[in-house]
Amino acid sequence: MFNISLKDNSVMQFDEPLSIFDIALKISDSLARNACCALVNGQPKDLRTILSNDCKLEILTFNDEWGRAAFHHTTAHILAQAVKRLFPDVKLAIGPKTADGFYYDFDGQFSLEDLDLIEAEMKKIVKESLPIDYFELDRQKALELMKNEPYKIELINNLPMDAKISFYRQGEFTDLCAGPHIMNTKFVKALKLTSIAGAYWHGDEKNKMLTRIYGTSFTKATDLNDYLEKIEEAKKRDHRKLGRELDLFTILDEAPGMPFFLPNGQTLKNILIDYWRKIHKANGYKEISTPMILSKDLWIRSGHWEHYKNNMYTTIIDEQDFAIKPMNCPGGILVYKTQLHSYKDLPLRLGELGIVHRYGKSGTLHGLMRARCFTQDDAHIFMTPEQIKSEIKNVIDLIDEVYSLFGFKYHIELSTRPKDSMGSDEQWAEATAALKSALIEKNLEFKINEGDGAFYGPKIDFHLEDSLSRTWQCGTIQLDFQLPEKFALEYIGADNEKHCPIMIHRVVFGSIERFIGILIEHYGGRFPVWLAPIQVKILPISEKFNSYAQNVFDTLNKNAIRTQIDMRAEKIGYKIREASLQKIPYLIIIGEKEVNTNQISVRSHHNFTTTIDEFIKNILQLQ
């Protein structure tokens, strides 16, 4: 007899081994019908898995992250099966799940027209209701089975000698795979191939360029339709498109991956920076600025040279090696070292709007979202061990205040020690426990992201949800015991002895440029009044009203309202349409009636007539 503990803490007892699917059937037919995979003691498993010992079981559906992963990964196999049916000579590479679907890499050429054929074949496979079977082979038999698939042969040869080599079969198609997968192709009720791109094998540009086909799938056609509608809306909101249309930024061939901010974009950026400075001053931060280029010796000492040098730009000055900073933290540490500190000085909160450069391959660059040059709104907090938890809570509150202002919901992940890290197990355990304890005491829900911490410490990541329900990782709180030790930082304690401080690295916006990209897409370019680069545009109907329009402009300008005036000899309808495309919150129309009554006509979400003084009063309340 063995016990199965379920998600609701109930316990089921069984006398003989059962598959997870059979256990799901005993709970309810509905659960078994919708189940995709399961977690057994926290590890993802197939529904085919036989249980015979005490364990904790969580049966997952498409609504769960791992359930969706199994569902999408299965659809990737359906894609590969369809391709092999239509193009037998094509060679298979890999086909993982993505954030909202899947892709598969093939050694073969496809056109956009081929996607329609492949998608149709995938739907045939779904209708065939093929059961999906799992089996294992020893290395020799696995190599024999995959003898015509060179990429699979390479993957098998790269596995440890004692690794179990697992496969999934559906109909005539078999693929090397660790799983998990759903039970049958028939459950993929809705699917869509979305795009095609090139991708290097193993992401290495020295390797062969493969063809990557992207897609997504759902359990219901209505969910697929909703998703496709969001994709179309996302295209309309693409920050690169709106960036051009609203004269916010551009990226030129002379500086790939490094944005140029135009006057409207710089205004928007300055508004965010002014807001950043205001809230940080209110929260006890002192602003600093550190050099953009620092010696190689510094980066070796900080550990970045060992862990991050492939992403760093380097140069030689006076026959010595230097690097353009990819992070601000070593500079902040050097600022700390310029003075002797007492425990009475701590916590010391140093904020910096530092421009950093990181090398990214050209294929990964994406407007403001993935750039090679950007501004990090960093802060580094130096503190005593007793202050750790309260400082973490303060940063959480600050981040929540900022995200709430922009109307963002968010979820939190706690990332633990990665394989490539430095420091003792004890320090990592203490740092991780401190972050976890602060989240629990703040009564915040969070998930554990195993092995995704920084190389010097665990971290809390904040993932924003925008108006299209997409998530973006922005804010982070990293707790660091390592760099203060490496740089021999000290403070004089209450015992009059020297001690090493603890350090928090944190950002709120993350990258200001990336945050602007997120805001552009979140608002669709229609920014709230306080954030809009141009808040008001004045449109005189004809030249004879230009004098009055100029007076209105001067009055608004004196009241620090961001205003433009269009005195071109164009028809008013044309000027209104053009200004509307610029998504300016308020359009003021000036004609004979307005001049005679000493008023203004305003076009916004609703049209109204008012005095200039009343308009200024109302708009200043929105600042």
Side-chain angles (χ1 to χ4, degrees), residues 83-96:
V83 166
K84 291 295 281 187
R85 283 184 178 183
L86 296 169
F87 308 94
D89 293 334
V90 165
K91 302 304 179 185
L92 304 176
I94 57 171

Side-chain angles (χ1 to χ4, degrees), residues 6-187:
L6 301 178
K7 186 177 180 180
D8 62 0
N9 294 322
S10 62
V11 177
M12 299 180 73
Q13 288 190 333
F14 299 98
D15 294 324
E16 57 186 27
L18 280 178
S19 72
I20 295 174
F21 180 76
D22 288 333
I23 294 172
L25 275 173
K26 290 183 178 296
I27 297 172
S28 78
D29 289 343
S30 174
L31 179 61
R33 187 167 57 251
N34 293 304
C36 294
C37 68
L39 292 178
V40 178
N41 295 327
Q43 298 300 310
K45 298 290 183 181
D46 260 354
L47 297 176
R48 308 160 186 77
T49 303
I50 303 297
L51 300 182
S52 57
N53 296 308
D54 291 355
C55 64
K56 185 174 182 179
L57 174 66
E58 186 176 348
I59 299 172
L60 306 174
T61 70
F62 188 82
N63 293 325
D64 302 294
E65 183 178 351
W66 271 107
R68 278 193 304 281
F71 190 92
H72 287 148
H73 192 40
T74 300
T75 320
H77 278 216
I78 295 173
L79 165 59
Q81 183 177 10
V83 166
K84 291 295 281 187
R85 283 184 178 183
L86 296 169
F87 308 94
D89 293 334
V90 165
K91 302 304 179 185
L92 304 176
I94 57 171
K97 63 95 177 176
T98 63
D100 53 4
F102 57 89
Y103 69 77
Y104 210 109
D105 287 344
F106 302 96
D107 189 348
Q109 298 297 315
F110 302 95
S111 66
L112 288 174
E113 291 73 20
D114 291 332
L115 292 193
D116 293 333
L117 293 174
I118 296 168
E119 187 178 302
E121 190 65 32
M122 291 175 70
K123 291 175 180 177
K124 288 182 184 177
I125 293 168
V126 169
K127 287 183 178 179
E128 290 171 16
S129 299
L130 300 176
I132 301 170
D133 301 316
Y134 172 88
F135 64 94
E136 297 176 7
L137 294 176
D138 62 34
R139 180 175 294 272
Q140 183 176 349
K141 290 181 179 178
L143 290 171
E144 176 63 24
L145 179 63
M146 293 284 108
K147 64 183 178 182
N148 295 320
E149 296 290 348
Y151 298 96
K152 303 295 182 181
I153 293 289
E154 180 183 330
L155 292 172
I156 292 171
N157 285 331
N158 286 335
L159 292 172
M161 292 301 296
D162 59 347
K164 67 177 182 180
I165 302 174
S166 57
F167 296 86
Y168 282 84
R169 179 192 297 119
Q170 54 200 50
E172 83 288 355
F173 177 77
T174 300
D175 203 353
L176 172 73
C177 187
H181 284 270
I182 60 176
M183 301 284 284
N184 194 296
T185 62
K186 69 181 179 181
F187 296 116

